[in-house]
Amino acid sequence: MLEIFYPDHEVKDAYGIDYEGLYKKGFRGVIFDIDNTLVPHGAPADERAVALFVRLHGIGFRTVLLSNNKEPRVKMFNDGVRSEYIFKAGKPGREGYKRAMKLMGTAPENTMFVGDQLFTDIWGAKKAGIVTWLVRPIHPKEEIQIVLKRRLERIVLFFYHRKGRKPV
């Protein structure tokens, strides 16, 4: 039952993923969450985020930022990385993920998702048939509703890790 929330991959952060290797395997689109995935909650794009998107676009990836935040927050981050974006995405619903793939011209089999939350990011991407990468939250400061979800996530991750899956 908890398997619906299990990520396909778990890594320390979005910056250490082997994007070049994934491109060689046929992936062409990357959908990203923003807050606590790429930067601390509410922060603008930093040098590391900008460099990642330059790298991804240089490899040949199409990218979309998929956020449940309002447009001013998403646009502020996007001003630095210059990606397509969708705000008020309605995660974990499938529609935002489908819209992201349409923007990129990709399909579930050649799209991946990178995010920090199981019950919105990962679950929604899995429902859309997309390969998922769970990253550790960048910063411990989070809104109260997310803090409460993190407690439930720990339970899911306990069973995920018990099945022998370990973060890379």
Side-chain angles (χ1 to χ4, degrees):
M1 164 141 168
L2 294 177
E3 289 85 4
I4 63 171
F5 302 112
Y6 289 176
D8 296 304
H9 306 278
E10 183 183 12
V11 293
K12 179 184 171 200
D13 61 49
Y15 300 96
I17 296 171
D18 179 12
Y19 295 104
E20 289 82 1
L22 291 165
Y23 192 86
K24 287 177 186 173
K25 289 182 179 178
F27 286 92
R28 295 297 181 263
V30 188
I31 304 170
F32 287 98
D33 176 53
I34 301 170
D35 288 325
N36 253 345
T37 295
L38 295 167
V39 293
H41 184 80
D46 58 17
E47 288 179 16
R48 191 164 74 151
V50 171
L52 174 64
F53 279 78
V54 167
R55 177 178 155 211
L56 290 169
H57 296 152
I59 294 167
F61 275 109
R62 299 287 311 269
T63 60
V64 172
L65 304 171
L66 188 68
S67 177
N68 284 344
N69 280 302
K70 294 177 182 170
E71 187 172 23
R73 163 55 186 139
V74 180
K75 185 180 180 319
M76 185 242 311
F77 179 85
N78 189 54
D79 286 345
V81 299
R82 307 214 184 283
S83 178
E84 299 282 351
Y85 68 86
I86 298 170
F87 60 95
K88 288 187 169 181
K91 293 183 289 184
R94 288 183 187 99
E95 283 309 308
Y97 299 89
K98 289 180 181 178
R99 283 181 52 210
M101 288 185 284
K102 186 173 183 177
L103 283 172
M104 295 185 295
T106 61
E109 57 271 9
N110 65 356
T111 303
M112 57 184 283
F113 179 86
V114 181
D116 69 301
Q117 291 188 53
L118 290 179
F119 302 132
T120 51
D121 297 333
I122 301 302
W123 186 31
K126 288 181 71 83
K127 290 193 300 183
I130 299 170
V131 172
T132 59
W133 293 79
L134 177 69
V135 299
R136 292 185 195 133
I138 288 178
H139 195 275
K141 182 179 179 256
E142 296 182 298
E143 298 170 343
I144 188 64
Q145 71 271 18
I146 296 173
V147 171
L148 297 173
K149 283 194 281 184
R150 294 283 186 210
R151 292 181 182 177
L152 295 173
E153 285 182 354
R154 281 197 294 264
I155 295 167
V156 173
L157 289 172
F158 169 81
F159 288 104
Y160 173 77
H161 294 145
R162 197 164 140 189
K163 289 190 176 259
R165 297 186 172 136
K166 300 291 178 200
V168 177

